[in-house]
Amino acid sequence: MSRSYFHLHLVSDSTGETLINVGRAAAAQYEGISAIEHVYPLVRSGPQLERVISEIKAAPGLVLYTLVGGDLGERLETACRETGSPCLSVLQPVHALLQSYLGAQTTARPGAQHMLNAEYFKRIDAMNFTLAHDDGNLPDDLEEADVILLGVSRTSKTPTSIYLANRGLKTTNLPLVPGVPLPPALEAAKRPLIVGLFASPERIVQIRQNRLLSLNADESTLYVDREAVADEITSSRRLFTRNRWPTIDVTRRSIEETAAAILDLYRDHRLKFIAV
């Protein structure tokens, strides 16, 4: 199936993360069509906007923007009408709904969601903790973690941990390796939510083979043997069941979907922990 492409211009007075997420989520719904992204972050002055407009004129397409200060949004929309490029303020409908509901006027603050507040520093602290405790490192202070992820090699523990850290959760991940005992501190851990990750043997073998290929390593090893991998996964699931740890099958889940499921589990876990 041949693919078609269109230019997607994302103009932001902040980092552009909101626009990127919205644009990709919407474009993903159209099979066989891909967006050529043009991202313009930190657009807060007339000269900066003029450079953006010149690029839109050179490659007309769809324009999404989040410009909350001054008349930059109006100037962008005028230029887009002249070039025939559909243009939409992504936040304007949300602002209008909030204003109607709250009965209050907005205060234009570009990048306000990225202010250096307590939540921001909480995420930084969680990220530092998570990176220091990746792949079984520093196992003696597991009680300080918010979440502990367990799973055999290639069950997306590290990227899931980093995603959770970006949401403010201190996350430790421990690999389950045949013949290697788990750290004693795990049994004593009461505060953290412990989650077991697993996937189908076929999926694990495929990922491990790709990993070995990228390293130019020998593939004649139990690491990618289908029966050996199946035994690893079976043993891990028995461990999870024995300890009554919640589990997530990551075979067909994205990192975001896995993290969302863990966040739901964590909310319930914290309520129970606080109630005790």
Side-chain angles (χ1 to χ4, degrees):
M1 178 180 179
S2 61
R3 302 193 67 82
S4 60
Y5 298 86
F6 70 97
H7 291 282
L8 177 61
H9 297 273
L10 307 173
V11 189
S12 173
D13 52 22
S14 186
T15 63
E17 293 176 29
T18 299
L19 285 173
I20 292 171
N21 290 333
V22 170
R24 290 179 179 176
Q29 307 306 312
Y30 297 89
E31 188 175 357
I33 303 176
S34 295
I36 301 173
E37 293 181 355
H38 305 264
V39 183
Y40 313 97
L42 301 174
V43 178
R44 299 180 180 178
S45 69
Q48 289 174 324
L49 182 61
E50 289 306 316
R51 287 194 291 271
V52 172
I53 290 173
S54 66
E55 295 201 29
I56 294 173
K57 289 180 178 179
L62 183 65
V63 180
L64 302 179
Y65 74 89
T66 53
L67 300 173
V68 300
D71 63 347
L72 296 180
E74 293 180 7
R75 291 170 61 183
L76 177 61
E77 291 199 4
T78 299
C80 287
R81 283 195 295 269
E82 294 173 353
T83 62
S85 296
C87 184
L88 175 68
S89 170
V90 170
L91 293 180
Q92 194 280 328
V94 181
H95 284 318
L97 183 62
L98 282 171
Q99 183 174 325
S100 173
Y101 182 75
L102 298 174
Q105 295 294 320
T106 61
T107 301
R109 293 188 299 164
Q113 72 272 34
H114 300 295
M115 291 177 63
L116 302 184
N117 54 19
E119 188 66 25
Y120 174 83
F121 289 108
K122 178 183 177 183
R123 292 201 306 272
I124 296 300
D125 189 32
M127 186 65 72
N128 288 335
F129 179 93
T130 299
L131 292 174
H133 293 77
D134 181 44
D135 202 29
N137 287 317
L138 304 177
D140 294 332
D141 56 353
L142 296 181
E143 188 65 19
E144 295 183 24
D146 296 310
V147 176
I148 299 174
L149 301 182
L150 300 174
V152 303
S153 173
R154 304 295 117 185
T155 46
S156 303
K157 297 185 299 298
T158 293
T160 302
S161 296
I162 293 174
Y163 190 98
L164 292 172
N166 196 45
R167 297 294 296 271
L169 297 185
K170 295 180 179 179
T171 308
T172 292
N173 73 81
L174 301 174
L176 299 179
V177 181
V180 178
L182 289 169
L186 182 64
E187 295 183 9
K190 302 298 181 184
R191 177 180 174 274
L193 166 69
I194 302 175
V195 180
L197 305 181
F198 70 94
S200 68
E202 292 76 16
R203 179 60 176 161
I204 295 297
V205 169
Q206 179 187 36
I207 298 173
R208 289 183 179 184
Q209 286 175 333
N210 291 336
R211 174 65 172 167
L212 292 180
L213 186 63
S214 68
L215 297 174
N216 293 320
D218 183 10
E219 293 188 38
S220 58
T221 169
L222 291 177
Y223 185 66
V224 292
D225 180 81
R226 203 285 183 186
E227 290 187 9
V229 171
D231 287 341
E232 281 187 59
I233 296 170
T234 298
S235 296
S236 72
R237 298 191 67 179
R238 286 175 180 165
L239 172 69
F240 304 151
T241 300
R242 187 165 61 248
N243 289 278
R244 297 182 180 179
W245 292 327
T247 62
I248 298 176
D249 184 352
V250 301
T251 304
R252 293 180 178 84
R253 286 180 185 258
S254 66
I255 300 302
E256 293 83 358
E257 290 171 326
T258 300
I262 293 171
L263 287 168
D264 281 340
L265 291 170
Y266 180 75
R267 281 188 282 269
D268 292 340
H269 174 77
R270 289 303 298 160
L271 288 174
K272 295 176 183 177
F273 185 79
I274 293 172
V276 172

